[in-house]
């Protein structure tokens, strides 16, 4: 996962009210060091816009999101990201 430079790696620390996100360009560099996203549809839409911006900046074609399955709080963001075409991995 980490060695493919065409891949944007997104880590989400899931919580009830908001998620903390870090975006990396494969294993080479951090693109977005820390981003707080409300656990709402609007927050997910804002997150996806930032991920698309990061894709354009890095030239990455793939988005892989790793998140922890915390209660049921991860389900909405995971479903949203998958619907946008991102690969979601539960860690």
């Amino acid at each position: 996962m980490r060695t493919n430079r065409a891949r944007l790696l997104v880590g989400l620390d899931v919580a009830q009210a908001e998620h903390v996100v870090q975006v990396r360009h494969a294993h080479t560099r951090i693109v977005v060091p820390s981003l707080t996203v409300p656990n709402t549809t609007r927050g997910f839409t804002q997150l996806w816009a930032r991920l698309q911006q990061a894709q354009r900046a890095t030239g990455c074609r793939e988005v892989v999101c790793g998140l922890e399955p915390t209660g049921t709080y991860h389900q909405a963001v995971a479903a949203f990201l998958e619907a946008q075409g991102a690969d979601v991995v539960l860690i």
Side-chain angles (χ1 to χ4, degrees), residues 6 10 15-18 21 26 28-29 31 41-42 46 54 64 73 75 83 87 90-91:
V10 182
Q16 180 178 5
E18 58 190 18
V21 180
T28 59
R29 66 184 172 95
V31 178
T41 303
R42 182 177 179 173
Q46 292 170 346
V64 178
Y73 306 130
Q75 292 174 346
D87 291 322
L90 300 181
I91 302 171

Side-chain angles (χ1 to χ4, degrees), residues 4-17:
N4 185 341
R5 292 181 187 224
R7 187 173 287 143
L8 201 62
L9 300 177
V10 182
L12 290 93
D13 182 16
V14 174
Q16 180 178 5

